[in-house]
Amino acid sequence: MSPIAGLLQCDSVEPNLEPNLAAGAAQAVLADAATDDPEGDEPEDLPLELLFDEEVPTGRSYGPLESLQQLGKFVFFDELSVPNDKQGCVSCHDPAAGWTLKDAKVNQLQVAAPGAALGAVGSIKPPSNAYARNMPLQLECPPFLLPCGGVFWDGRAEGSDAPRVAGATAHVGVEVFKGKASLQDLFAQFLGPVADQALQPFPNPVEQNISEQQVCQHVAAAPYYSLYTLAWGEKIDCSAAGFMLSFKRIAVALAAWQASGEVNSFSSKRDLALAADIGAEGAGVAFPLNGLTAKENLGHELFYGKAGCALCHSNTPVFVIEDPNKAGLDPGELYTDAAYHNIGVPRNPAIPGPLGSPGIGARSGLPNQLGMHKTPTLRNVDKRPTTSFVKAYTHNGWFKSLESLVHFYNTSDVSSNGATAAKFGITRCDPKKDWTEAAARAANCWPAPEETGTLAIGFLIGDLDLTVAEEAAIVAYLKTLTDTKTVKPPQLLQ
Ligand code: HEC
Ligand code: HEC
């Protein structure tokens, strides 16, 4: 058995191979890449030909693309931090918790994740890292949606060579293909916001707190190190001159895995019901779907219709939807427009660090963009390890339940124009007090928005005229977006 087959449990391998990238083609590319290398310095201690020729038990060879994605997966789950190797990407992006923080107590209270360093705490809620792969680059956004694209709540991992808004993070560019030009065709698809993002958590003191060179050295000594060689066709170089390139290549691996079918499984109840009806009815498919309950189907109708959620939570936002049952049929729906809005989230007094998150307005310097945060995907928004597990919603996690958030969308306009709030008897909470979501619900009031720049309340949201039953139907629909598949950590066989 080849070392790599011995290393991995192959049933956990679910590559996202493009149809034209059969294993054979991938091998050919790697062979090319090897000849590309001016020094021809193939690693000595790894019998590459043997590894590539050996079929893994699933019947596929281990080509560079699959190796790259598997490398990313191992690094994602590796608790690789200073001190004590106790924090990995998975600590804040747990698949079982919908790729967010796996600590229900933190979600309930301080929201922001503790970092690896003693006493270090972040200042914002970890969003899902899944389904982020298709975020457009800042430069690709249509002009009327400015600003949009990128990842992070304020989009600062822009993913492009020419940053558009001030304060963009460092960028992973084609320099990673130095001496490996033929890998570019295969791997360039993974450059972009998610690869740029992956440079950030390791050296960040409120996250993994480990230097780029230490990450390189850790991977070089890890049991899965040969995946790097298989992916990049050369040994990892952690010398003073080489570690930064290696580190960036690890970021590309993280992006490649986060773009895989494993992370983006499209396996929710809604996906399965839609696929079944497409199978039975073909192009004429429409909601209600046979596989959803009447309540869930009603939730869909409201989401794309009366409640107007799809204005922002759809990758094909439509302003006037004539028949909501004929909308939302894209199997690849990501439930985000990748743009920035201020929905008027109240200040969260429980969050440590700088209390306010002025969103993209803090980067652009434009007052009318204060409080605008990127619309998060709604996929897996209700995914949790147990029913009593508390999740936190919106950038500062002030909301703890989908029920309250939907009620907020329905009634947050407490001005004299807000007929729905009036119907429910909702008022403005006393501004002199700090409010948790539970206290505000008990007092039947909403605290003032933290930022008032370009507020969507009173315009698109806040007065939706939904009944209690309709709110519940929308929540039921959101719960159909939970993937039925849950990624497990990769296993070493020995
Ligand atoms: C200590 C907790 C923590 C760790 C560890 C962590 N993250 Fe995050 N992650 C966050 C937070 C918080 C944000 C949002 C930060 C912001 O927007 O300013 C985030 C944002 C992201 C996003 C952007 C999602 C989007 O759509 O905007 C991705 C992707 C991501 N993380 C992937 C990773 C990867 C890969 C790793 C490991 C290299 C990692 N994270 C490690 C907390 C963490
Ligand atoms: C004007 C655009 C817009 C509309 C309309 C809208 N949303 Fe949102 N939604 C957002 C933005 C932006 C955020 C993040 C806000 C923040 O964190 O400050 C968000 C956050 C959320 C979240 C929290 C997700 C998480 O991971 O924390 C849920 C759930 C949600 N919206 C559901 C809905 C539903 C249901 C509707 C319809 C009733 C709706 N949204 C209408 C833009 C919108």
Side-chain angles (χ1 to χ4, degrees):
M1 187 161 61
S2 80
I4 200 72
L7 189 65
L8 299 161
Q9 246 179 10
C10 290
D11 61 358
S12 68
V13 172
E14 207 183 295
N16 187 29
L17 293 175
E18 297 290 330
N20 60 341
L21 296 177
Q27 282 177 46
V29 172
L30 190 97
D32 263 17
T35 48
D36 228 39
D37 187 341
E39 322 241 315
D41 59 348
E42 263 180 37
E44 282 143 31
D45 59 347
L46 267 176
L48 278 184
E49 304 73 21
L50 182 69
L51 287 174
F52 288 131
D53 288 341
E54 187 92 12
E55 295 276 308
V56 294
T58 49
R60 278 180 279 104
S61 303
Y62 237 72
L65 185 59
E66 201 167 4
S67 304
L68 186 75
Q69 292 184 317
Q70 284 301 315
L71 173 64
K73 181 174 182 181
F74 270 93
V75 175
F76 190 89
F77 281 92
D78 198 344
E79 289 171 336
L80 162 56
S81 62
V82 174
N84 298 338
D85 280 353
K86 61 175 183 176
Q87 190 170 68
C89 311
V90 67
S91 313
C92 302
H93 301 287
D94 183 6
W99 304 95
T100 58
L101 193 67
K102 62 179 168 192
D103 189 328
K105 275 203 197 106
V106 172
N107 291 339
Q108 177 68 55
L109 297 167
Q110 71 179 36
V111 175
L118 194 69
V121 190
S123 56
I124 203 161
K125 188 199 80 164
S128 164
N129 64 302
Y131 299 102
R133 64 173 174 179
N134 291 334
M135 288 299 149
L137 309 181
Q138 291 276 354
L139 291 171
E140 288 171 349
C141 301
F144 66 89
L145 275 178
L146 285 179
C148 84
V151 299
F152 281 137
W153 287 106
D154 65 358
R156 68 192 179 283
E158 294 192 357
S160 46
D161 292 321
R164 175 167 246 193
V165 183
T169 64
H171 178 55
V172 181
V174 292
E175 70 279 3
V176 290
F177 304 117
K178 199 176 136 221
K180 298 285 164 197
S182 37
L183 284 178
Q184 193 162 338
D185 289 345
L186 203 53
F187 293 173
Q189 56 177 315
F190 304 121
L191 302 188
V194 178
D196 287 7
Q197 190 285 332
L199 298 176
Q200 299 299 311
F202 291 113
N204 189 339
V206 298
E207 294 178 287
Q208 286 156 280
N209 193 39
I210 177 168
S211 76
E212 291 88 346
Q213 191 166 17
Q214 283 171 302
V215 172
C216 184
Q217 287 158 346
H218 179 102
V219 171
Y224 55 80
Y225 79 96
S226 52
L227 289 169
Y228 182 100
T229 322
L230 286 167
W232 290 99
E234 65 188 18
K235 249 178 32 192
I236 190 164
D237 174 4
C238 300
S239 69
F243 75 85
M244 204 56 207
L245 182 67
S246 306
F247 179 70
K248 286 187 170 184
R249 287 174 171 179
I250 292 168
V252 176
L254 280 162
W257 184 61
Q258 291 178 93
S260 73
E262 247 189 330
V263 177
N264 311 277
S265 66
F266 294 93
S267 66
S268 69
K269 184 175 184 187
R270 173 264 184 198
D271 297 319
L272 302 180
L274 180 60
D277 282 11
I278 290 176
E281 295 161 34
V285 71
F287 277 77
L289 299 180
N290 292 313
L292 300 188
T293 65
K295 191 174 174 184
E296 291 161 350
N297 276 314
L298 172 63
H300 173 274
E301 192 181 323
L302 294 163
F303 187 96
Y304 285 91
K306 182 176 168 189
C309 312
L311 278 177
C312 305
H313 291 285
S314 173
N315 31 310
T316 46
V318 182
F319 288 90
V320 182
I321 295 180
E322 278 168 18
D323 182 352
N325 282 326
K326 294 199 179 123
L329 291 162
D330 177 2
E333 174 70 277
L334 295 173
Y335 295 96
T336 169
D337 56 359
Y340 297 79
H341 310 275
N342 179 5
I343 63 164
V345 175
R347 172 175 179 270
N348 188 352
I351 206 165
L355 279 184
S357 168
I360 197 164
R363 296 210 288 132
S364 67
L366 298 173
N368 67 355
Q369 292 179 357
L370 288 173
M372 291 173 81
H373 292 88
K374 201 185 69 202
T375 312
T377 179
L378 298 180
R379 287 188 170 271
N380 292 315
V381 79
D382 189 54
K383 194 169 170 83
R384 59 188 91 223
T386 60
T387 44
S388 60
F389 180 94
V390 179
K391 291 188 78 169
Y393 296 114
T394 69
H395 71 274
N396 67 7
W398 189 79
F399 291 95
K400 310 297 178 190
S401 75
L402 293 173
E403 287 76 7
S404 286
L405 182 49
V406 171
H407 190 54
F408 178 82
Y409 274 118
N410 188 23
T411 61
S412 55
D413 183 358
V414 297
S415 75
S416 53
N417 299 328
T420 317
K423 219 183 277 176
F424 282 87
I426 299 176
T427 55
R428 172 68 73 223
C429 298
D430 179 352
K432 291 195 263 341
K433 286 195 198 152
D434 280 341
W435 293 90
T436 61
E437 179 211 73
R441 288 303 302 275
N444 207 27
C445 65
W446 292 121
E450 178 153 39
E451 294 284 352
T452 49
T454 326
L455 204 56
I457 296 178
F459 167 47
L460 299 169
I461 58 179
D463 188 15
L464 302 182
D465 193 27
L466 301 171
T467 63
V468 170
E470 287 174 332
E471 285 185 11
I474 292 174
V475 172
Y477 177 64
L478 295 176
K479 293 184 178 188
T480 69
L481 307 181
T482 298
D483 281 326
T484 53
K485 292 187 185 166
T486 307
V487 178
K488 297 273 180 303
Q491 297 292 321
L492 297 174
L493 284 184
Q494 58 291 54

